[in-house]
Amino acid sequence: MRITIANHKGGVGKTTTAINLSGFLAEMGYRALLIDMDSQAASTQGLGFDRGLLEYTIYDSLLEDGPLTPLKTSVENLDLVPANLDLAGATLELSGQVGREHILSTLLTNLLDKDHYDFVLLDCPPSLDVLTLNALVASDSVLVPLQPEYYALNGLTQLLKVLDRSKIRLGVNLRRFFLITMYSATNLHKMVHQTAIERLHKPEADSIVFETLIPRNISLAEAPVEGLPISIYAPDSSGSIAYRQLAEEVVKYNAER
Ligand code: ATP
Ligand code: MG
């Protein structure tokens, strides 16, 4: 399963979900690969890498046509294709290139031909740029984290349009998953969750709102400072319990295919 984690709204929990979902999938014994598509390199740093010291990043693969060269992380079964600030220039550098949306997809197919990964997660920047499009084209699913704010669902229109257009123009038909993050069971949050289910949960159309709700939990904000997923940093925290449950849901949906 290849899952792009995207939302053009910033700070909704994309990176937190990328690190901790891949961390739990790895802990469950699956081989997992996290690809950092964001020049802020939060996933790279959150897994304990110093973005200033990397000899290889995703930028090299995208601009020089590969290959993808995953690094081992301190977490068993979890590998990382890292990013650093170089990637900030990639959007512009790729803009004139033929087939620019398909570069990553080709590289990933080549990697998966020789190396087995059960799950590949792609952490995107907060924008619907050519890097996010590359991730979408390389994936079979998109996971959209949503902070339960009043306007969160209206803000989705643009992303849903990009997904519809990608289907028509790029031939990518992605399963859609929506995840409520930073949930705190207030009336507002309950209402937004309910509305998300009404509007977005359509299993027959491959659009699913996860049952798992990710609570607001300080351990989730602390773990990346230590360079660790929550499964190792604070395995008994409420955030850890929630991301483990999310991983189980993802495995269940994957098995349905
Ligand atoms: P960006 O758009 O900048 O890439 P993002 O969507 O990747 O942001 P994160 O970096 O995952 O979002 O989260 C934003 C901030 O909120 C971070 O400081 C993170 O540690 C914190 N955070 C994320 N999820 C939770 C949570 N469930 N509980 C508490 N803090 C959280
Ligand atoms: Mg991020």
Side-chain angles (χ1 to χ4, degrees), residues 97-142:
Q97 296 199 15
V98 179
R100 58 187 174 270
E101 290 97 352
H102 296 272
I103 301 171
L104 182 66
S105 170
T106 306
L107 298 177
L108 187 57
T109 304
N110 291 345
L111 175 71
L112 296 178
D113 276 349
K114 64 181 177 62
D115 231 340
H116 174 76
Y117 286 101
D118 299 295
F119 292 94
V120 180
L121 274 69
L122 303 103
D123 182 22
C124 289
S127 101
L128 298 172
D129 62 6
V130 68
L131 293 172
T132 298
L133 285 177
N134 261 275
L136 291 171
V137 174
S139 298
D140 49 55
S141 311
V142 58

Side-chain angles (χ1 to χ4, degrees), residues 5-217:
I5 301 177
N7 188 333
H8 52 293
K9 187 162 182 331
V12 295
K14 292 182 287 295
T15 300
T16 304
T17 299
I19 292 176
N20 295 309
L21 177 55
S22 58
F24 270 115
L25 290 167
E27 193 187 88
M28 290 159 83
Y30 296 102
R31 275 209 79 204
L33 173 65
L34 174 51
I35 303 183
D36 193 347
M37 294 297 286
D38 187 355
S39 65
Q40 297 177 90
S43 275
T44 299
Q45 295 177 99
L47 283 172
F49 291 83
D50 183 337
R51 66 177 181 183
L53 298 177
L54 297 164
E55 284 177 17
Y56 157 83
T57 68
I58 182 74
Y59 174 87
D60 303 308
S61 300
L62 289 174
L63 271 294
E64 284 155 37
D65 288 308
L68 289 175
T69 314
L71 309 176
K72 292 229 160 303
T73 70
S74 61
V75 182
E76 198 182 344
N77 294 325
L78 176 59
D79 291 354
L80 170 77
V81 173
N84 65 11
L85 273 174
D86 289 347
L87 197 56
T91 310
L92 196 61
E93 289 173 63
L94 291 174
S95 67
Q97 296 199 15
V98 179
R100 58 187 174 270
E101 290 97 352
H102 296 272
I103 301 171
L104 182 66
S105 170
T106 306
L107 298 177
L108 187 57
T109 304
N110 291 345
L111 175 71
L112 296 178
D113 276 349
K114 64 181 177 62
D115 231 340
H116 174 76
Y117 286 101
D118 299 295
F119 292 94
V120 180
L121 274 69
L122 303 103
D123 182 22
C124 289
S127 101
L128 298 172
D129 62 6
V130 68
L131 293 172
T132 298
L133 285 177
N134 261 275
L136 291 171
V137 174
S139 298
D140 49 55
S141 311
V142 58
L143 189 166
V144 183
L146 293 170
Q147 231 179 308
E149 290 165 348
Y150 190 65
Y151 292 110
L153 298 177
N154 297 343
L156 270 188
T157 316
Q158 211 183 337
L159 175 59
L160 296 177
K161 259 190 206 155
V162 167
L163 294 177
D164 287 340
R165 270 189 224 133
S166 311
K167 195 165 159 181
I168 298 165
R169 296 189 192 161
L170 300 170
V172 279
N173 193 7
L174 304 174
R175 296 176 86 182
R176 300 174 187 187
F177 294 97
F178 300 89
L179 173 69
I180 307 276
T181 60
M182 300 185 230
Y183 185 77
S184 54
T186 57
N187 283 339
L188 172 66
H189 285 192
K190 285 182 194 159
M191 190 192 83
V192 176
H193 180 214
Q194 208 43 51
T195 311
I197 292 173
E198 282 159 21
R199 289 210 212 151
L200 301 168
H201 191 67
K202 300 189 171 75
E204 68 288 353
D206 265 339
S207 177
I208 281 143
V209 177
F210 285 117
E211 255 176 57
T212 304
L213 299 164
I214 306 296
R216 194 172 267 288
N217 173 224

